[in-house]
Amino acid sequence: MTNSVSLDLACAVILVLCALLVWVAHLASEARAERDAQKLKMASLEAQKAQLALSQVQASTAPTDDALTQILNKAEF
């Protein structure tokens, strides 16, 4: 009878430890997914900054309407 009780207790402890292991693995997976999402968000923000900077450079270096009109009038293209 004592053997059966200690075997049942050992099985219960093993099951609890397995459940804890699964729970910790699940938490780690969620944390990894959150970290990956944060990295993607940061990469997206950096890409937006780069695109904005490029757009601003293109806008600032584009010829004005007056300059385009002069070039067209002089036929210098």
Side-chain angles (χ1 to χ4, degrees):
M1 177 101 166
T2 351
N3 257 352
S4 177
V5 171
S6 30
L7 186 60
D8 289 345
L9 182 60
C11 286
V13 168
I14 289 172
L15 286 175
V16 168
L17 290 175
C18 287
L20 282 174
L21 182 62
V22 168
W23 181 63
V24 167
H26 174 70
L27 289 178
S29 175
E30 284 182 348
R32 184 174 29 254
E34 186 175 335
R35 186 177 64 241
D36 291 345
Q38 188 69 18
K39 285 181 183 178
L40 286 174
K41 182 178 177 182
M42 293 303 293
S44 174
L45 288 174
E46 289 298 321
Q48 285 178 345
K49 278 186 195 177
Q51 183 61 44
L52 179 61
L54 180 61
S55 296
Q56 288 174 342
V57 167
Q58 288 174 335
S60 67
T61 58
T64 63
D65 288 339
D66 292 336
L68 287 175
T69 303
Q70 288 176 1
I71 291 170
L72 287 174
N73 288 337
K74 293 179 184 178
E76 295 178 353
F77 49 91

